[in-house]
């Protein structure tokens, strides 16, 4: 018998959304996450753990969200002529933690424009670049954008960006307060003929989905939110956990996808647990 109906590798925005949808459909899910858990208590009532603080040393110098380049260095090379690597250390460091890259993102969530789905036919092709048009267009995606904005909780002002595509409804929340720098630069940009507007942001401007409004502490990008006012990926993770059908296993390094005897279908995942023990689910 299988342990669960589905294994999700990674607890970032994509994995959290998949777990939310699957558990909502009645599936049982195990989520494997390479990083530590600083985000949510994994048992009810799934409150923030209180690990997050406005601390630049902790986040930037001590790699609170990992990976720590001293313990887990990454390598870089431009091509095979460089040999194995030209550099070892911190390369494009993305958080390795429950919540993934969404944990430290400042949550700007614009939609693609119609032209973005047809970049090759409208703007390309480009020599040496393997670019194709998307197999879907904006009109087809619009209901999914609306659903994702509702799920995450996006604050914004419909119609404020004259270049944005049509929307089937307003943003779930009004925009939050402008930063002082934005107040100053808005007037300057308008004098130059630009169209500044409040960027759609996955941050609560008012209480939403059981989470408080942002208090404008200013430590969004590169930090986690101490009060869970950022929705992405807290919202879908909480939803999945609340069903009782989702188990998150932090500090579990997914090593390989296991295939069935014909080598055609995934039947599980092998991972290294925190004690280095190899396990399968
Ligand atoms: S309180 Fe607001 S500004 Fe501070 S981290 Fe949270 S969402 Fe960002």
């Amino acid at each position: 018998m299988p342990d669960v109906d589905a294994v999700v590798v990674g607890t970032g925005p994509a994995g959290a959304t998949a777990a939310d949808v699957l558990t909502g459909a009645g599936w049982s899910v195990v989520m494997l996450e390479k990083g530590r858990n600083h985000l949510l208590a994994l048992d009810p009532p799934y409150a923030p753990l209180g690990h997050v603080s406005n601390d630049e040393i902790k986040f930037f110098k001590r790699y609170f969200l990992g990976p720590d380049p001293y313990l887990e260095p990454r390598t870089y090379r431009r091509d095979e002529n460089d040999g194995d690597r030209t550099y070892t250390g911190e390369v494009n460091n993305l958080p390795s933690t429950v919540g993934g890259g969404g944990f430290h993102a400042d949550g700007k969530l614009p939609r693609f424009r119609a032209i973005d789905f047809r970049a090759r036919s409208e703007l390309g092709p480009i020599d040496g670049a393997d670019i194709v048009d998307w197999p879907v267009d904006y009109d087809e995606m619009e209901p999914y954008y609306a659903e994702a904005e509702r799920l995450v909780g996006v604050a914004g002002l419909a119609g404020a960006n004259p270049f944005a595509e049509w929307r089937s409804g307003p943003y779930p929340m009004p925009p939050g307060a402008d930063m002082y720098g934005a107040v100053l630069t808005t007037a300057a940009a308008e004098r130059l003929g630009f169209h500044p507007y409040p960027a759609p942001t996955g941050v609560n401007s008012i209480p939403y989905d059981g989470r408080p409004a942002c208090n404008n502490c200013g430590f969004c990008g590169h930090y986690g939110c101490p009060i869970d006012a950022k929705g992405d990926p807290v919202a879908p993770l909480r939803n999945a956990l609340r069903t009782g059908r989702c188990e998150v296993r932090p500090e579990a390094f997914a090593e390989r996808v296991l295939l069935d005897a014909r080598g055609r279908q995934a039947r599980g995942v092998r991972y290294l647990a925190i004690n280095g023990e190899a396990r399968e689910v």
Side-chain angles (χ1 to χ4, degrees), residues 30-152:
V30 161
M31 303 185 79
L32 301 177
E33 168 54 56
K34 173 171 163 282
R36 292 176 289 173
N37 177 27
H38 299 298
L39 190 60
L40 287 174
L42 300 180
D43 296 308
Y46 311 114
L49 289 176
H51 294 189
V52 180
S53 51
N54 297 167
D55 184 334
E56 290 158 317
I57 293 175
K58 175 175 162 182
F59 279 82
F60 282 96
K61 300 295 180 196
R62 295 182 178 149
Y63 306 100
F64 178 67
L65 298 181
D68 183 332
Y70 296 107
L71 295 172
E72 207 182 322
R74 303 176 82 173
T75 64
Y76 175 79
R77 67 174 181 175
R78 282 160 299 195
D79 55 46
E80 56 270 26
N81 297 325
D82 283 340
D84 285 345
R85 62 192 73 90
T86 59
Y87 176 79
T88 302
E90 182 175 354
V91 179
N92 192 25
N93 192 333
L94 285 171
S96 171
T97 184
V98 168
F103 192 119
H104 83 152
D106 72 349
K108 298 294 179 287
L109 297 174
R111 297 181 177 192
F112 272 14
R113 297 170 304 155
I115 193 175
D116 297 321
F117 291 91
R118 305 187 305 268
R120 180 188 170 94
S121 49
E122 300 266 355
L123 307 171
I126 296 172
D127 277 348
D130 191 11
I131 299 171
V132 295
D133 289 344
W134 285 69
V136 293
D137 62 18
Y138 179 81
D139 290 356
E140 199 177 340
M141 290 300 291
E142 201 285 336
Y144 298 98
Y145 274 128
E147 175 65 12
E149 288 172 353
R150 186 202 56 75
L151 169 69
V152 169

Side-chain angles (χ1 to χ4, degrees), residues 176-231:
D178 283 329
M179 294 189 298
Y180 181 57
V183 173
L184 296 182
T185 54
T186 292
E190 283 173 342
R191 279 200 301 276
L192 292 170
F194 294 115
H195 307 79
Y197 64 95
T201 307
V203 166
N204 288 359
S205 58
I206 54 175
Y208 182 87
D209 194 27
R211 293 177 290 105
C214 164
N215 64 18
N216 299 310
C217 76
F219 281 74
C220 257
H222 303 291
Y223 300 82
C225 179
I227 60 171
D228 274 6
K230 270 199 298 199

